Amino acid sequence: MNNQEIVSKLWNLCNVLRDDGITYHQYVTELTYILFLKMAKETGTDGAIPATYRWEALVKKQGIELKRFYNELLTHLGEETSGRILQIYAGARSNIDEPKNLEKIILNIDALDWYSAKEEGLGNLYEGLLEKNANEKKSGAGQYFTPRVLINVMTRLIAPQPGERCNDPACGTFGFMIAGDRFIKDATDDYFDLSTAAQAFQKNEAFSGSELVHDTHRLALMNAMLHDIDGEILLADTLSNAGKAMKNFDVVLTNPPFGTKKGGERSTRDDLTFPSSNKQLNFLQHIYRSLKADGKARAAVVLPDNVLFADGDGASIRADLMHKCNLHTILRLPTGIFYAQGVKTNVLFFTRGQSEKDNTKEVWFYDLRTNMKNFGKTSPLTEAHFDDFIAAYTAADRSAVSDERFCCFSRDQIKEKNDSLDLGLIRDDSIIDYEDMQDPIESGEAVVAKLEEAVDLIQSVLKELRSLEA
């Protein structure tokens, strides 16, 4: 049995809990409580768990006694332990009311083919479960899960290296950092090519993150643990003053949450030059300020279209970004690959300069949005869809690339457009009267002219009718 089959079995167990009114997201959280104990047993890492509350004790209980013991277990591990165990179980509460349902889930998990799961990697199994949850629209989990394909492409192009400090300030389930860890492991024979000290750095310090939502933070901790990553994952709001300490990173890979602060309040960070009610604009400021000013620290960030053209503070933040960093590439992403259908997003790639001024000389745009098919369950996004972009991105001479989707705007051209970066989209074949769509002002004038013609025609017809009546 492979991991995909095991994930399907775990996911189907959710049907057992329908009568308890448990949501998909609550189910995955509940599974995390139980899977932690089973996976700790399977990997021989349950020494830090009190013997009374290990898997062997849990699987022997039945009925009302099981429910009582399980709730006692959650309370004890969430209050009386330390380290990762305390972080994962802090505030843990079961949503399962029916003892028979709890018993069925535990027995089914115990009966799974754990030998095969370990062979394929328990981390990969758990990530598969998180991805299944994210792809289920009813779970609402897509808000913190970036498509694995996009994560892999961004990570590959940013190319984190051994010894670099990597961070995700809105880490969700920690997918970007796990991809970064995997990228370096693939290049170093699972870190065996590194010294003992360098291996310890990779495990304990190289990858860090911050997550605001408690249950999502719990999933991130579990995900990191199963991938043998012990870096710090804060339960914190990066846009609060807690985020001020997150700095001096070599790499940032992230997909910050979309939207505005509740009630329209401004960020509580007191160190942002241009505080805004727009979360993404505040995250963008945090990200480029958190990079080392050494000319090598770099970031890839998923951001919605409004960040590219927002006026006021938006224009000031984009100008500040292009001063402090070399914003060398913007990838216009297809619609419908995550979040609500129709939300338009981009990936910004930039490198922090050594100086604070004029680091961006030109920005290259790649349009992977226009004239693209609709993506979904029956037509998934794959890494092959990024092949042409990757070829253009990595070209030694970008000006020699022959691809209509790839174009460049100089810094002076961008300044002429009030520092708007809503550029680089090619002709959309679905628009019939394309010329009228090129310039909103010209298009508006054309509409007015057509309306005036219609009014003149109506007036002449009415005049003729009145003359006939007379």
Side-chain angles (χ1 to χ4, degrees):
M1 182 182 292
N2 60 32
N3 274 355
Q4 188 174 355
E5 293 170 322
I6 294 174
V7 166
S8 293
K9 282 185 173 291
L10 288 171
W11 191 251
N12 288 335
L13 285 174
C14 186
N15 295 327
V16 174
L17 304 179
R18 281 181 177 173
D19 291 339
D20 277 345
I22 291 177
T23 66
Y24 286 106
H25 185 64
Q26 287 172 327
Y27 171 62
V28 173
T29 302
E30 199 86 48
L31 267 187
T32 297
Y33 302 152
I34 301 170
L35 283 173
F36 179 90
L37 299 173
K38 179 60 174 173
M39 290 177 169
K41 175 185 180 299
E42 293 297 328
T43 55
T45 57
D46 55 359
I49 302 173
T52 310
Y53 298 111
R54 292 177 191 169
W55 182 259
E56 294 91 336
L58 180 66
V59 78
K60 290 176 183 177
K61 308 291 182 184
Q62 295 178 328
I64 295 296
E65 182 189 8
L66 170 62
K67 181 179 177 182
R68 180 200 59 76
F69 177 77
Y70 180 59
N71 287 324
E72 177 188 311
L73 176 153
L74 295 181
T75 300
H76 183 89
L77 297 184
E79 294 178 359
E80 305 296 329
T81 54
S82 61
R84 275 287 195 262
I85 298 172
L86 179 62
Q87 288 180 306
I88 288 173
Y89 286 96
R93 295 291 181 270
S94 176
N95 292 292
I96 302 175
D97 290 328
E98 175 53 54
K100 284 295 180 185
N101 288 343
L102 177 61
E103 185 177 332
K104 185 171 183 178
I105 288 172
I106 290 171
L107 291 177
N108 272 274
I109 288 175
D110 196 48
L112 290 173
D113 181 5
W114 288 99
Y115 178 81
S116 296
K118 285 188 287 185
E119 287 294 301
E120 287 199 43
L122 295 183
N124 293 335
L125 168 62
Y126 191 70
E127 259 196 300
L129 186 64
L130 295 178
E131 188 166 14
K132 187 82 170 176
N133 187 37
N135 290 335
E136 173 54 60
K137 291 183 179 179
K138 293 179 182 178
S139 77
Q143 64 177 312
Y144 61 80
F145 195 96
T146 308
R148 188 69 50 210
V149 168
L150 180 58
I151 287 177
N152 289 341
V153 169
M154 291 167 63
T155 304
R156 173 179 166 187
L157 295 179
I158 288 296
Q161 299 297 308
E164 292 187 322
R165 297 180 66 239
C166 307
N167 181 260
D168 183 346
C171 69
T173 57
F174 215 54
F176 275 109
M177 296 298 96
I178 286 167
D181 173 68
R182 187 181 299 118
F183 181 87
I184 299 175
K185 281 178 176 173
D186 287 346
T188 60
D189 190 18
D190 282 340
Y191 294 151
F192 286 117
D193 293 346
L194 305 180
S195 67
T196 302
Q199 289 181 32
F201 174 84
Q202 292 303 130
K203 178 182 172 66
N204 301 313
E205 299 179 54
F207 302 100
S208 62
S210 176
E211 174 52 43
L212 173 62
V213 180
H214 198 160
D215 277 347
T216 309
H217 178 253
R218 203 188 310 274
L219 302 182
L221 291 168
M222 180 78 164
N223 209 7
M225 183 198 76
L226 291 172
H227 286 88
D228 200 29
I229 299 173
D230 286 340
E232 185 175 50
I233 306 175
L234 298 173
L235 176 61
D237 182 0
T238 299
L239 298 184
S240 73
N241 283 331
K244 287 162 44 172
M246 302 176 201
K247 56 186 179 181
N248 294 322
F249 298 115
D250 299 288
V251 168
V252 172
L253 288 158
T254 188
N255 176 7
F258 293 7
T260 58
K261 298 286 281 184
K262 289 182 180 178
E265 77 269 21
R266 296 172 89 75
S267 167
T268 53
R269 284 278 288 267
D270 58 15
D271 65 330
L272 297 180
T273 308
F274 309 101
S276 168
S277 61
N278 183 312
K279 286 181 183 178
Q280 305 91 268
L281 288 173
N282 288 329
F283 265 108
L284 180 56
Q285 288 183 87
H286 163 81
I287 292 161
Y288 65 74
R289 290 161 58 103
S290 73
L291 294 171
K292 288 180 182 175
D294 62 356
K296 296 182 294 183
R298 57 212 180 277
V301 187
V302 179
L303 292 167
D305 273 15
N306 70 69
V307 169
L308 303 186
F309 59 74
D311 292 330
D313 287 337
S316 300
I317 291 166
R318 291 191 298 274
D320 193 41
L321 166 66
M322 288 184 280
H323 273 307
K324 290 183 170 63
C325 303
N326 175 19
L327 174 62
H328 51 81
T329 311
I330 295 179
L331 171 62
R332 312 300 300 263
L333 288 170
T335 57
I337 60 173
F338 58 92
Y339 286 94
Q341 191 73 21
V343 173
K344 297 178 179 179
T345 55
N346 314 270
V347 183
L348 275 62
F349 296 86
F350 50 87
T351 302
R352 183 71 190 259
Q354 291 178 298
S355 66
E356 297 284 295
K357 286 288 186 181
D358 299 326
N359 279 289
T360 298
K361 307 301 181 185
E362 60 185 19
V363 181
W364 285 84
F365 293 80
Y366 196 94
D367 178 8
L368 201 61
R369 178 183 305 169
T370 312
N371 301 325
M372 291 292 289
K373 65 180 181 181
N374 294 324
F375 293 101
K377 285 188 176 180
T378 58
S379 179
L381 184 72
T382 68
E383 291 200 31
H385 288 112
F386 292 90
D387 284 349
D388 290 340
F389 165 66
I390 293 171
Y393 184 101
T394 56
D397 180 5
R398 289 186 168 188
S399 62
V401 174
S402 179
D403 188 335
E404 69 163 347
R405 295 184 181 275
F406 201 41
C407 66
C408 180
F409 287 82
S410 69
R411 184 69 186 93
D412 287 338
Q413 287 176 307
I414 294 169
K415 284 179 182 177
E416 290 173 3
K417 298 180 181 293
N418 192 31
D419 287 321
S420 173
L421 293 168
D422 194 16
L423 304 166
L425 295 177
I426 61 176
R427 180 188 179 99
D428 188 338
D429 292 340
S430 67
I431 297 176
I432 298 172
D433 192 3
Y434 191 84
E435 294 305 320
D436 281 349
M437 300 298 292
Q438 293 303 293
D439 189 329
I441 297 174
E442 288 182 7
S443 180
E445 289 173 349
V447 171
V448 171
K450 288 176 181 177
L451 286 173
E452 288 175 346
E453 288 176 10
V455 169
D456 289 342
L457 178 60
I458 292 169
Q459 286 178 339
S460 66
V461 170
L462 289 173
K463 184 177 180 181
E464 188 173 341
L465 287 173
R466 282 196 293 269
S467 67
L468 289 174
E469 288 176 356

Coordinates of all heavy atoms in Angstrom, one line a residue, residues 283-336:
F283 N 2.8 43.0 4.5 CA 3.7 41.8 4.4 C 4.8 42.1 3.5 O 6.0 41.7 3.7 CB 2.9 40.6 4.0 CG 2.4 39.7 5.1 CD1 1.1 39.7 5.4 CD2 3.3 38.9 5.8 CE1 0.6 38.9 6.5 CE2 2.9 38.2 6.9 CZ 1.5 38.1 7.2
L284 N 4.6 42.7 2.3 CA 5.6 43.0 1.4 C 6.7 43.8 2.0 O 7.9 43.6 1.8 CB 5.1 43.7 0.1 CG 6.1 44.1 -1.0 CD1 6.8 42.8 -1.5 CD2 5.3 44.7 -2.1
Q285 N 6.3 44.9 2.8 CA 7.3 45.7 3.5 C 8.1 44.9 4.4 O 9.3 45.0 4.5 CB 6.6 46.8 4.2 CG 6.0 47.9 3.4 CD 5.4 49.0 4.2 OE1 6.1 49.9 4.7 NE2 4.1 48.9 4.5
H286 N 7.4 44.0 5.2 CA 8.1 43.2 6.2 C 9.1 42.3 5.5 O 10.3 42.2 5.9 CB 7.1 42.3 7.0 CG 7.8 41.2 7.7 ND1 8.5 41.3 8.9 CD2 8.0 39.9 7.3 CE1 9.0 40.2 9.2 NE2 8.7 39.3 8.3
I287 N 8.7 41.7 4.3 CA 9.6 40.7 3.7 C 10.9 41.4 3.2 O 12.0 40.9 3.5 CB 8.8 40.1 2.5 CG1 7.7 39.2 3.1 CG2 9.8 39.2 1.6 CD1 6.6 38.8 2.1
Y288 N 10.8 42.5 2.4 CA 12.0 43.0 1.9 C 12.9 43.7 3.0 O 14.1 43.7 2.8 CB 11.8 43.9 0.7 CG 11.1 45.2 0.9 CD1 11.7 46.3 1.5 CD2 9.8 45.4 0.4 CE1 11.0 47.5 1.6 CE2 9.1 46.6 0.5 CZ 9.7 47.7 1.1 OH 9.0 48.9 1.2
R289 N 12.3 44.1 4.1 CA 13.1 44.6 5.2 C 13.7 43.5 6.0 O 14.7 43.7 6.7 CB 12.2 45.5 6.1 CG 11.7 46.8 5.5 CD 10.5 47.3 6.2 NE 10.7 47.5 7.6 CZ 10.9 48.7 8.2 NH1 10.9 49.8 7.5 NH2 11.2 48.8 9.5
S290 N 13.1 42.3 5.9 CA 13.7 41.2 6.7 C 14.9 40.5 6.1 O 15.5 39.6 6.7 CB 12.6 40.1 7.0 OG 12.3 39.4 5.8
L291 N 15.2 40.8 4.8 CA 16.3 40.3 4.1 C 17.6 41.0 4.5 O 17.6 42.2 4.7 CB 16.1 40.4 2.6 CG 14.9 39.6 2.0 CD1 14.7 40.0 0.5 CD2 15.2 38.1 2.1
K292 N 18.7 40.2 4.5 CA 20.0 40.8 4.7 C 20.3 41.8 3.6 O 20.1 41.4 2.4 CB 21.1 39.7 4.7 CG 21.1 38.8 6.0 CD 22.2 37.8 5.8 CE 22.3 36.8 7.0 NZ 23.3 35.8 6.8
A293 N 20.9 42.9 3.9 CA 21.3 43.9 2.9 C 22.7 43.6 2.4 O 23.6 44.4 2.6 CB 21.2 45.3 3.5
D294 N 22.9 42.4 1.8 CA 24.2 41.9 1.4 C 24.3 41.7 -0.1 O 25.4 41.3 -0.6 CB 24.6 40.6 2.1 CG 23.6 39.5 1.8 OD1 22.7 39.7 1.0 OD2 23.9 38.4 2.3
G295 N 23.3 42.1 -0.9 CA 23.3 41.9 -2.3 C 23.0 40.5 -2.8 O 23.1 40.2 -4.0
K296 N 22.8 39.6 -1.8 CA 22.5 38.2 -2.2 C 21.2 37.6 -1.6 O 20.6 36.7 -2.2 CB 23.7 37.3 -1.7 CG 25.0 37.5 -2.3 CD 26.1 36.6 -1.8 CE 26.4 36.8 -0.3 NZ 27.5 35.9 0.2
A297 N 20.7 38.2 -0.5 CA 19.5 37.7 0.1 C 18.3 37.9 -0.9 O 18.2 39.0 -1.5 CB 19.3 38.4 1.4
R298 N 17.5 37.0 -1.0 CA 16.5 37.0 -2.0 C 15.1 36.4 -1.6 O 15.1 35.7 -0.6 CB 17.0 36.2 -3.2 CG 17.3 34.7 -2.9 CD 18.5 34.2 -3.7 NE 18.8 32.8 -3.4 CZ 19.6 32.5 -2.4 NH1 20.1 33.4 -1.6 NH2 19.9 31.2 -2.1
A299 N 14.1 36.8 -2.3 CA 12.7 36.3 -1.9 C 11.9 36.0 -3.2 O 12.1 36.6 -4.3 CB 12.1 37.4 -1.1
A300 N 10.9 35.2 -3.0 CA 9.9 34.9 -4.0 C 8.6 34.9 -3.2 O 8.4 34.2 -2.2 CB 10.1 33.6 -4.7
V301 N 7.6 35.8 -3.6 CA 6.4 36.1 -2.8 C 5.2 36.1 -3.8 O 5.2 36.7 -4.8 CB 6.5 37.5 -2.2 CG1 5.3 37.7 -1.2 CG2 7.8 37.6 -1.4
V302 N 4.2 35.3 -3.3 CA 2.9 35.3 -4.1 C 2.1 36.5 -3.6 O 1.8 36.7 -2.4 CB 2.1 34.0 -3.8 CG1 0.8 34.1 -4.6 CG2 2.9 32.8 -4.3
L303 N 1.6 37.4 -4.5 CA 0.8 38.6 -4.1 C -0.3 38.8 -5.2 O -0.1 38.5 -6.3 CB 1.7 39.8 -4.1 CG 2.7 39.8 -2.9 CD1 3.8 40.9 -3.2 CD2 2.1 40.0 -1.6
P304 N -1.4 39.3 -4.7 CA -2.5 39.6 -5.7 C -2.3 40.8 -6.5 O -1.4 41.6 -6.2 CB -3.7 39.8 -4.7 CG -3.1 40.3 -3.5 CD -1.8 39.7 -3.3
D305 N -3.1 40.9 -7.6 CA -2.9 42.0 -8.5 C -2.9 43.4 -7.9 O -2.2 44.3 -8.3 CB -3.9 42.0 -9.6 CG -3.5 41.1 -10.8 OD1 -2.6 40.3 -10.6 OD2 -4.1 41.2 -11.9
N306 N -3.8 43.6 -6.9 CA -3.9 44.9 -6.3 C -2.6 45.5 -5.8 O -2.5 46.7 -5.7 CB -5.0 45.0 -5.2 CG -4.7 44.2 -4.0 OD1 -3.8 44.7 -3.2 ND2 -5.3 43.1 -3.7
V307 N -1.7 44.6 -5.3 CA -0.4 45.1 -4.9 C 0.4 45.8 -6.0 O 1.2 46.7 -5.7 CB 0.4 43.9 -4.3 CG1 1.9 44.4 -4.0 CG2 -0.2 43.4 -3.0
L308 N 0.1 45.4 -7.2 CA 0.9 45.9 -8.4 C 0.4 47.3 -8.8 O 1.1 48.1 -9.4 CB 0.7 45.0 -9.6 CG 1.2 43.5 -9.4 CD1 1.1 42.8 -10.7 CD2 2.6 43.5 -8.8
F309 N -0.9 47.7 -8.4 CA -1.4 48.9 -8.9 C -2.0 49.8 -7.9 O -2.4 51.0 -8.2 CB -2.4 48.7 -10.0 CG -3.6 47.9 -9.7 CD1 -4.6 48.4 -8.9 CD2 -3.7 46.6 -10.1 CE1 -5.7 47.7 -8.5 CE2 -4.8 45.8 -9.8 CZ -5.8 46.4 -9.0
A310 N -2.1 49.4 -6.6 CA -2.7 50.2 -5.6 C -2.0 51.6 -5.5 O -0.8 51.7 -5.5 CB -2.6 49.5 -4.2
D311 N -2.9 52.7 -5.4 CA -2.4 54.0 -5.3 C -1.9 54.4 -3.8 O -2.0 53.5 -3.0 CB -3.4 55.0 -5.7 CG -3.8 54.9 -7.2 OD1 -2.9 54.6 -8.0 OD2 -4.9 55.2 -7.6
G312 N -1.5 55.6 -3.6 CA -1.1 56.0 -2.3 C 0.0 55.3 -1.7 O 1.1 55.2 -2.3
D313 N -0.2 54.6 -0.5 CA 0.8 53.9 0.1 C 1.4 52.8 -0.8 O 2.5 52.4 -0.7 CB 0.3 53.3 1.4 CG 0.2 54.3 2.5 OD1 0.8 55.4 2.4 OD2 -0.6 54.1 3.5
G314 N 0.5 52.2 -1.6 CA 0.9 51.1 -2.5 C 2.0 51.6 -3.5 O 3.0 50.9 -3.6
A315 N 1.8 52.8 -4.1 CA 2.9 53.3 -5.0 C 4.2 53.6 -4.2 O 5.3 53.3 -4.7 CB 2.4 54.6 -5.6
S316 N 4.0 54.1 -3.0 CA 5.2 54.4 -2.2 C 6.0 53.1 -1.8 O 7.2 53.1 -1.8 CB 4.8 55.1 -0.9 OG 4.2 56.3 -1.2
I317 N 5.2 52.0 -1.5 CA 5.8 50.8 -1.1 C 6.5 50.1 -2.3 O 7.7 49.6 -2.2 CB 4.8 49.8 -0.5 CG1 4.3 50.4 0.9 CG2 5.3 48.4 -0.3 CD1 3.1 49.7 1.4
R318 N 5.9 50.2 -3.4 CA 6.6 49.6 -4.6 C 7.8 50.4 -5.0 O 8.9 49.8 -5.3 CB 5.6 49.7 -5.8 CG 4.4 48.7 -5.7 CD 3.7 48.6 -7.0 NE 3.1 49.9 -7.5 CZ 1.9 50.3 -7.1 NH1 1.2 49.6 -6.2 NH2 1.5 51.5 -7.5
A319 N 7.8 51.7 -4.8 CA 9.0 52.5 -5.1 C 10.1 52.2 -4.1 O 11.3 52.0 -4.4 CB 8.7 54.0 -5.0
D320 N 9.7 52.0 -2.8 CA 10.7 51.6 -1.8 C 11.3 50.3 -2.0 O 12.5 50.1 -1.9 CB 10.0 51.7 -0.4 CG 10.9 51.6 0.8 OD1 12.0 52.3 0.7 OD2 10.7 50.9 1.7
L321 N 10.4 49.3 -2.5 CA 10.9 48.0 -2.8 C 11.9 48.1 -3.9 O 13.0 47.4 -3.8 CB 9.7 47.1 -3.3 CG 10.0 45.8 -4.0 CD1 10.7 44.8 -3.0 CD2 8.8 45.2 -4.6
M322 N 11.6 48.9 -5.0 CA 12.6 48.9 -6.1 C 13.8 49.7 -5.8 O 14.8 49.6 -6.5 CB 11.8 49.5 -7.3 CG 10.8 48.5 -7.9 SD 10.0 49.1 -9.4 CE 8.7 50.2 -8.7
H323 N 13.8 50.6 -4.7 CA 15.0 51.2 -4.3 C 15.9 50.2 -3.5 O 17.0 50.1 -3.8 CB 14.6 52.4 -3.3 CG 14.4 53.7 -4.1 ND1 15.3 54.2 -5.0 CD2 13.4 54.6 -4.0 CE1 14.9 55.3 -5.4 NE2 13.7 55.6 -4.9
K324 N 15.3 49.5 -2.5 CA 16.0 48.7 -1.6 C 16.4 47.3 -2.3 O 17.4 46.7 -1.9 CB 15.2 48.4 -0.4 CG 15.1 49.6 0.6 CD 14.4 49.2 1.9 CE 14.5 50.4 2.9 NZ 13.8 51.6 2.4
C325 N 15.6 46.9 -3.3 CA 15.9 45.6 -3.9 C 15.9 45.7 -5.4 O 15.4 46.6 -6.0 CB 14.7 44.6 -3.5 SG 14.5 44.4 -1.7
N326 N 16.5 44.6 -6.0 CA 16.4 44.5 -7.4 C 15.2 43.6 -7.7 O 15.3 42.4 -7.6 CB 17.7 43.8 -8.0 CG 17.6 43.5 -9.5 OD1 16.8 44.1 -10.2 ND2 18.4 42.6 -9.9
L327 N 14.1 44.2 -8.0 CA 12.9 43.5 -8.4 C 13.1 43.1 -9.9 O 12.7 43.8 -10.8 CB 11.7 44.4 -8.2 CG 10.3 43.8 -8.7 CD1 10.0 42.6 -7.9 CD2 9.2 44.9 -8.6
H328 N 13.6 41.9 -10.1 CA 14.0 41.6 -11.5 C 13.0 40.8 -12.3 O 13.0 40.9 -13.5 CB 15.3 40.7 -11.4 CG 15.3 39.6 -10.5 ND1 14.7 38.4 -10.8 CD2 15.7 39.4 -9.2 CE1 14.8 37.5 -9.8 NE2 15.4 38.1 -8.8
T329 N 12.0 40.2 -11.6 CA 11.1 39.3 -12.3 C 9.7 39.3 -11.6 O 9.6 39.2 -10.4 CB 11.5 37.9 -12.4 OG1 12.9 37.8 -12.8 CG2 10.7 37.1 -13.4
I330 N 8.6 39.4 -12.5 CA 7.3 39.3 -12.0 C 6.6 38.2 -12.9 O 6.5 38.4 -14.1 CB 6.5 40.6 -12.0 CG1 7.1 41.6 -11.0 CG2 5.0 40.3 -11.6 CD1 6.4 42.9 -10.9
L331 N 6.1 37.2 -12.2 CA 5.4 36.1 -13.0 C 3.9 36.4 -12.8 O 3.4 36.3 -11.6 CB 5.8 34.8 -12.4 CG 5.0 33.6 -12.9 CD1 5.1 33.4 -14.4 CD2 5.4 32.3 -12.1
R332 N 3.1 36.6 -13.9 CA 1.7 36.8 -13.8 C 1.1 35.4 -13.8 O 1.1 34.7 -14.9 CB 1.2 37.6 -15.0 CG 1.9 38.9 -15.2 CD 1.9 39.9 -14.1 NE 0.6 40.3 -13.7 CZ 0.0 41.5 -14.1 NH1 0.6 42.3 -14.9 NH2 -1.2 41.8 -13.6
L333 N 0.5 34.9 -12.7 CA 0.0 33.6 -12.6 C -1.4 33.4 -13.2 O -2.2 34.3 -13.3 CB -0.1 33.2 -11.1 CG 1.2 33.0 -10.4 CD1 1.0 32.8 -8.9 CD2 1.9 31.7 -10.9
P334 N -1.7 32.2 -13.6 CA -3.0 31.9 -14.2 C -4.1 32.1 -13.1 O -3.7 32.0 -11.9 CB -3.0 30.4 -14.6 CG -1.5 30.1 -14.6 CD -0.8 31.0 -13.7
T335 N -5.3 32.3 -13.4 CA -6.4 32.4 -12.4 C -6.9 31.0 -12.1 O -6.8 30.1 -12.9 CB -7.5 33.3 -12.9 OG1 -8.0 32.7 -14.2 CG2 -7.1 34.7 -13.2
G336 N -7.5 30.9 -10.9 CA -8.1 29.6 -10.5 C -7.2 28.6 -10.0 O -7.7 27.4 -9.8

